[in-house]
Amino acid sequence: MKEKSWVGILFSYTKGSKIKLSLSILLAIISVFGGLLPYLGVYHIIIMFFAGTQTGSKILYWAGICLGGYLIKILFYGFSTVLSHRSAYKILENIRLAIADKLMKVPLGTVLNESIGKMKNVIVDRVETIELPLAHLIPEGLSSLLLAVSVLVYLIVVDWRMAIAGIISIPLAAIPYGIVMRTYNKKYDDYMKASNYVNGVIVEYIEGIEVIKAFNHASISYEKFQKAINDFKDYTLDWFQSTWKLMNLGSAILPSTLLGTLPLGMYLYINGLLTPADLTISIILSLGIVETLTKFTVFVNDLKSIEYALRDADQFLNLKELPSVRQQVKLKNYNIKLENVSFSYLQDENNKENVLTNIDLEIPEGSFTALVGPSGGGKSTIARLMARFWDVGKGAIKIGDTDIRDIPLTQLTDTVSFVTQDNFLFNSSLLENIRLGNSKASDEEVKEAAKAACCHEFIEELDGGYNTLAGEAGNKLSGGEKQRIAIARAILKNAPIVMLDEATAFTDPENEDKIQKSIAALTKGKTLLVIAHRLSTIRNADNIVVLNNGRIEDTGSHEKLLKDCKLYRDMWQAHIGSKAWAANSDQNIEGEVVSNV
Ligand SMILES: Nc1ncnc2c1ncn2[C@@H]1O[C@H](COP(=O)(O)OP(=O)(O)OP(=O)(O)O)[C@@H](O)[C@H]1O
């Protein structure tokens, strides 16, 4: 497929800023023409002096033109800059929103496979690098280029020979610049890779700091961190050292326009081929060309950084979306059916290992189904497929006889609540964190949900109560309390289907009791699927599904499975054993038996 040009990518995100952007360009052009007026004024004043026709009023008139032109240049340039900054920020906003929107539409696996460092680097830092160069490129870059061309045309009109002499330094300067530019793309590419790598290492270092400290790996991790930063510094310095001589040579040659215009101008003047007025204005104009062109060379680097930022952003913007329909569907009921479902996380046709194979399962509306089985058997994968974090590889998942691929993603999200073990809290108040379940809920409704999820008491005990920021509260909340907040969110959402990845970590009896109460409040009258890690919590399930190696080994009630399914029986024995062990430990410690098997 033909690669999209970066200018094309840029313009596809100008929605809402097209008028401002066009106006900014128009104002920049007017500013350029304003900038030409002083040259015209000076030209006429010189001619008048040489011809001896100067009068006070004529001089004042042309001086007024010079001043007016200069004011136009400054004012219109200012307006153009304001508009170009606004347009640039709007473009940034559009790109960031488009990436965020895209991340919601691609399979979760695609997002999880990207490093957080890279995503943060692209969405925050790389996109930000577009703003300043873009905002300045429009008025400054455009006007520099236009002014140089206009002055050249003007100079050709005055004397074409002087025009050639005036730009002779450009091809000469192009030689050293050209040598640098030959390797520029490759160097810039390597520079960006090194920059992305450093970003990734920094984010990894900060994210993993808890593990680094816990395992006393501070020095090893710090060395990796330090090495990445040093390598990046060395690379940047090497690149600078390999180019600065040629770049400086180019920068020295480019403005040396007098080397051409002065001897030629003198020669033409002495031979009567150029008037003194034309000689003077030609020299002024030729200095004007190189000055503006020198300004433009600064933008070459800026253009490159815009190009790379857009290409990076475009990688995310081109991620393949989960196909989705828009039209809401009327679901007959909330029965869930998995029909011959197979799935692999690997998309490579030649390297596909099924995580789920030929799964047939029915979960009637209002029933309580539990998924149990050895670790890695595919329990969480089934739940993720039902929430459509990924699409099934083969077969279909249906809700109320409708394939979930034919239900709009937003409707599916409203229909299914998925409470995972990873209870992410946003750094807003706890009130707002719970309100995520239903943005329209009143404060009272949020508190009711919190009460039902057994969170109300501990939230009230926090200094800021419900207004405590989750970031501040985060350190004070236990894992079980965080899970109850997530359950409160789901209670507020009130979706007819609830999937719950039961927490393994928070097994102290008091917490377990509260979590069970909150789950009971969440799941009343709902179609419930629990990924169970502790069999005691699901022995009353209507149907228990034993998953092993991605296949259904058996299904049925607790009693039936104890009788018919060896794997389940073994798991139950192991579970009772561990409970007895825990009870004995408690007995040893506290002198009483705690048994809630
Ligand atoms: N994002 C992923 N990419 C690739 N493979 C994955 C991914 N998530 C899970 N797997 C693999 O899929 C298989 C099933 O994982 P899954 O999490 O569904 O099992 P599980 O029964 O829920 O396990 P556990 O009880 O330990 O949570 C495992 O072999 C796991 O390594």
Side-chain angles (χ1 to χ4, degrees):
M1 202 176 72
K2 195 168 165 272
E3 204 179 61
K4 223 168 151 190
S5 89
W6 67 267
V7 182
I9 300 171
L10 182 70
F11 278 93
S12 58
Y13 291 99
T14 50
K15 191 166 170 253
S17 65
K18 278 200 176 76
I19 295 178
K20 283 196 197 88
L21 201 60
S22 315
L23 211 56
S24 168
I25 294 172
L26 182 70
L27 296 180
I29 294 172
I30 296 176
S31 153
V32 167
F33 284 103
L36 280 177
L37 289 179
Y39 290 104
L40 187 73
V42 169
Y43 181 59
H44 281 276
I45 291 172
I46 292 171
I47 287 179
M48 277 192 297
F49 269 98
F50 280 114
T53 57
Q54 77 278 16
T55 61
S57 60
K58 277 185 185 169
I59 292 173
L60 266 181
Y61 171 77
W62 284 110
I65 297 272
C66 292
L67 187 67
Y70 187 69
L71 285 177
I72 289 174
K73 178 183 158 167
I74 301 285
L75 279 177
F76 280 72
Y77 175 78
F79 293 143
S80 171
T81 309
V82 170
L83 287 177
S84 67
H85 273 285
R86 290 201 175 158
S87 316
Y89 272 118
K90 184 71 193 160
I91 291 172
L92 254 58
E93 183 190 351
N94 288 347
I95 294 175
R96 286 192 173 125
L97 289 179
I99 295 178
D101 186 49
K102 188 61 141 187
L103 293 182
M104 294 302 293
K105 291 178 179 160
V106 300
L108 185 67
T110 313
V111 182
L112 296 181
N113 285 345
E114 295 288 348
S115 99
I116 295 183
K118 185 177 169 198
M119 285 207 272
K120 182 246 165 205
N121 187 23
V122 171
I123 301 171
V124 182
D125 306 336
R126 311 265 342 106
V127 171
E128 191 66 36
T129 59
I130 301 175
E131 199 280 323
L132 216 56
L134 183 64
H136 286 271
L137 186 70
I138 298 166
E140 274 176 46
L142 189 75
S143 56
S144 301
L145 199 64
L146 263 181
L147 196 59
V149 174
S150 315
V151 171
L152 179 65
V153 171
Y154 193 3
L155 186 53
I156 292 171
V157 172
V158 174
D159 189 288
W160 66 269
R161 294 158 299 191
M162 288 297 281
I164 293 174
I167 54 168
I168 199 76
S169 64
I170 297 174
L172 292 177
I175 298 170
Y177 282 145
I179 297 172
V180 173
M181 292 311 282
R182 266 196 326 195
T183 55
Y184 185 82
N185 279 351
K186 162 93 183 62
K187 294 270 186 196
Y188 200 90
D189 206 36
D190 293 344
Y191 170 82
M192 289 318 300
K193 280 188 191 134
S195 159
N196 284 341
Y197 178 71
V198 170
N199 264 293
V201 171
I202 293 173
V203 171
E204 185 186 71
Y205 183 74
I206 295 167
E207 278 195 322
I209 202 118
E210 208 173 328
V211 179
I212 292 169
K213 282 183 178 244
F215 288 90
N216 214 3
H217 264 224
S219 59
I220 299 170
S221 303
Y222 182 71
E223 272 166 29
K224 183 180 172 193
F225 176 77
Q226 199 181 29
K227 183 170 179 317
I229 291 178
N230 272 342
D231 288 352
F232 182 57
K233 179 202 74 185
D234 290 344
Y235 178 82
T236 317
L237 279 180
D238 276 355
W239 187 20
F240 175 70
Q241 269 174 353
S242 68
T243 56
W244 74 269
K245 290 184 196 120
L246 285 168
M247 287 302 286
N248 278 1
L249 183 64
S251 307
I253 297 173
L254 191 61
S256 311
T257 169
L258 286 178
L259 288 177
T261 50
L262 216 51
L264 180 75
M266 295 316 279
Y267 170 81
L268 293 174
Y269 170 67
I270 289 166
N271 290 291
L273 299 169
L274 196 66
T275 65
D278 284 351
L279 172 65
T280 317
I281 195 68
S282 299
I283 288 172
I284 294 174
L285 288 176
S286 67
L287 288 173
I289 296 175
V290 283
E291 190 203 316
T292 46
L293 271 188
T294 312
K295 269 195 200 163
F296 192 74
T297 55
V298 177
F299 287 103
V300 173
N301 225 13
D302 288 347
L303 283 171
K304 216 61 203 164
S305 77
I306 296 179
E307 177 185 345
Y308 269 77
L310 286 169
R311 293 214 181 285
D312 280 348
D314 205 43
Q315 277 177 19
F316 283 101
L317 293 163
N318 275 332
L319 291 173
K320 203 161 163 252
E321 292 180 12
L322 274 177
S324 177
V325 291
R326 284 171 189 276
Q327 191 68 35
Q328 291 263 327
V329 280
K330 179 129 186 55
L331 299 172
K332 274 198 242 160
N333 51 50
Y334 296 111
N335 293 342
I336 306 170
K337 226 188 246 178
L338 279 79
E339 292 176 353
N340 201 22
V341 168
S342 298
F343 175 74
S344 166
Y345 283 102
L346 304 171
Q347 298 304 314
D348 179 2
E349 284 299 328
N350 304 319
N351 187 21
K352 266 192 172 174
E353 201 186 324
N354 271 355
V355 167
L356 296 174
T357 314
N358 302 336
I359 302 285
D360 282 307
L361 182 63
E362 281 200 45
I363 304 174
E365 178 175 340
S367 69
F368 170 11
T369 301
L371 292 178
V372 301
S375 178
K379 302 182 290 292
S380 305
T381 305
I382 288 195
R384 288 177 195 147
L385 293 182
M386 282 165 53
R388 222 180 151 212
F389 288 178
W390 282 267
D391 268 341
V392 296
K394 212 182 84 189
I397 298 179
K398 294 181 176 172
I399 297 179
D401 280 340
T402 305
D403 191 317
I404 57 172
R405 285 169 290 197
D406 297 328
I407 303 174
L409 279 174
T410 45
Q411 187 182 355
L412 184 66
T413 313
D414 287 342
T415 309
V416 180
S417 269
F418 189 7
V419 183
T420 62
Q421 287 196 38
D422 181 17
N423 302 302
F424 188 81
L425 298 183
F426 288 89
N427 195 20
S428 50
S429 68
L430 293 176
L431 194 79
E432 292 312 321
N433 262 287
I434 299 175
R435 214 197 305 267
L436 275 179
N438 175 5
S439 56
K440 295 194 185 92
S442 66
D443 287 2
E444 274 320 303
E445 284 167 327
V446 171
K447 287 179 187 170
E448 281 309 311
K451 278 180 196 159
C454 305
C455 317
H456 183 69
E457 272 175 34
F458 75 79
I459 295 179
E460 287 280 85
E461 278 168 18
L462 294 168
D463 288 345
Y466 279 88
N467 292 322
T468 313
L469 288 180
E472 285 169 19
N475 299 332
K476 296 179 210 150
L477 300 182
S478 71
E481 286 167 341
K482 281 185 194 162
Q483 185 165 59
R484 266 139 55 200
I485 289 183
I487 292 173
R489 244 183 220 165
I491 289 178
L492 208 56
K493 182 171 167 184
N494 199 21
I497 297 171
V498 175
M499 295 190 301
L500 186 77
D501 196 347
E502 187 196 63
T504 47
F506 323 120
T507 48
D508 66 276
E510 193 202 345
N511 216 344
E512 180 161 344
D513 182 46
K514 285 187 177 152
I515 287 185
Q516 290 310 326
K517 274 193 192 137
S518 63
I519 291 173
L522 165 66
T523 56
K524 218 159 93 193
K526 306 277 162 67
T527 308
L528 172 64
L529 179 79
V530 173
I531 299 166
H533 299 280
R534 290 190 308 281
L535 299 188
S536 52
T537 56
I538 52 100
R539 58 190 287 188
N540 295 326
D542 300 316
N543 194 22
I544 300 173
V545 180
V546 184
L547 264 183
N548 191 15
N549 272 333
R551 291 178 188 271
I552 294 182
E553 183 119 344
D554 209 341
T555 58
S557 67
H558 173 70
E559 285 70 26
K560 174 192 174 280
L561 290 173
L562 273 186
K563 204 149 53 73
D564 298 345
C565 178
K566 179 170 180 322
L567 177 60
Y568 187 79
R569 213 167 30 243
D570 291 348
M571 285 167 58
W572 180 248
Q573 290 299 339
H575 178 66
I576 291 178
S578 69
K579 281 279 180 183
W581 181 83
N584 281 334
S585 312
D586 282 346
Q587 192 178 31
N588 290 339
I589 295 163
E590 295 174 14
E592 62 179 87
V593 179
V594 180
S595 172
N596 59 353
V597 172

